[in-house]
Amino acid sequence: MLISRMIAEQIRTGAVTTQYRRWDAPRVKVGGTQLTPAGLVRFTRVTRVADLAKLTDRAARAAGMRDAAALRKALTPRPDRKPSERGSRGGAHVYRINLEWVGEDPRLALREELPDEQACAAIAGKTAVLDRRLGAGWTRETLEWIEANPEVVSKRLAESRGVELAPMKADIRKLKALGLTISHDVGYELSPRGRRFLAWLREHDG
């Protein structure tokens, strides 16, 4: 479920407490959590909306929309698009998702932790999965490129490696999930944890 930075920040402050999506079936579960640009949110209730005409301005504002008319428009399918292209407007039913902010992104604290020998070995075990899929040495090469090119537009990294941008960014997010990288509005940099792990890789590669 995509949640924009603007909406995520409003969930954090409590100004936004609901979201609406048009799906064939619910894609989130009560009690489930999701990382957003403003931290971790929890889904507290998921209900089907039977009649869009009954949506009120108050309900729309709780979802970060101007008024009910704007919310209904956002949820109305566009006939000129295929279902797969409609995003939140695709799907047979409209669902109201109640949600709340529950804490900071746990990766923020993780990336400041300096791993010891045992922790580095554990990280290596996890990144080995990426290396098997993307090619031997992918993790080290990517970390070294980010180390040498901090906050450089990610398109350059994709071009230099001859790969597509979107899949590459998805793979780098896996490094971020391990606390190894920091994402900026433009490009990336290594976290303290990432720098320590890269040094460990170099030590063990001789």
Side-chain angles (χ1 to χ4, degrees):
M1 174 173 162
L2 293 177
I3 298 176
S4 70
R5 179 178 294 277
M6 180 182 71
I7 291 297
E9 292 291 351
Q10 293 180 76
I11 295 171
R12 180 189 180 108
T13 64
V16 165
T17 56
T18 62
Q19 287 289 275
Y20 293 80
R21 294 293 187 273
R22 182 176 282 278
W23 294 326
D24 289 326
R27 298 182 186 176
V28 298
K29 295 181 179 180
V30 174
T33 59
Q34 179 175 320
L35 279 174
T36 75
L40 195 66
V41 300
R42 178 188 296 119
F43 307 112
T44 59
R45 189 180 182 191
V46 181
T47 54
R48 182 173 162 183
V49 179
D51 187 355
L52 292 184
K54 293 184 178 180
L55 292 173
T56 65
D57 289 344
R58 180 178 179 181
R61 288 191 290 271
M65 302 294 289
R66 182 181 67 254
D67 52 32
L71 178 57
R72 281 191 288 269
K73 181 179 179 181
L75 292 169
T76 301
R78 286 178 52 178
D80 59 321
R81 291 188 178 183
K82 299 177 181 178
S84 61
E85 299 174 338
R86 292 175 187 169
S88 63
R89 300 188 188 187
H93 311 295
V94 171
Y95 292 91
R96 178 189 293 110
I97 303 101
N98 291 70
L99 65 182
E100 62 185 3
W101 189 81
V102 293
E104 298 289 352
D105 184 340
R107 296 172 300 188
L108 297 181
L110 180 63
R111 69 193 191 190
E112 298 298 323
E113 295 180 6
L114 299 181
D116 57 16
E117 180 76 16
Q118 184 176 359
C120 282
I123 296 170
K126 295 176 180 179
T127 58
V129 177
L130 284 174
D131 289 351
R132 285 195 295 271
R133 180 168 65 85
L134 300 171
W138 180 89
T139 295
R140 176 172 171 174
E141 290 172 9
T142 302
L143 292 175
E144 288 183 332
W145 192 95
I146 292 173
E147 178 187 48
N149 299 274
E151 298 186 61
V152 172
V153 64
S154 54
K155 183 179 180 180
R156 276 187 52 194
L157 175 56
E159 291 174 346
S160 69
R161 299 182 67 84
V163 298
E164 295 183 9
L165 179 60
M168 183 208 72
K169 292 176 72 172
D171 291 328
I172 291 178
R173 281 197 291 272
K174 293 179 176 66
L175 299 179
K176 181 179 178 181
L178 295 172
L180 303 179
T181 63
I182 300 171
S183 297
H184 295 286
D185 289 339
V186 176
Y188 314 93
E189 71 170 308
L190 296 187
S191 67
R193 184 179 181 85
R195 290 195 292 272
R196 174 67 189 96
F197 178 61
L198 179 56
W200 182 89
L201 287 177
R202 288 166 172 162
E203 292 168 4
H204 286 71
D205 280 354

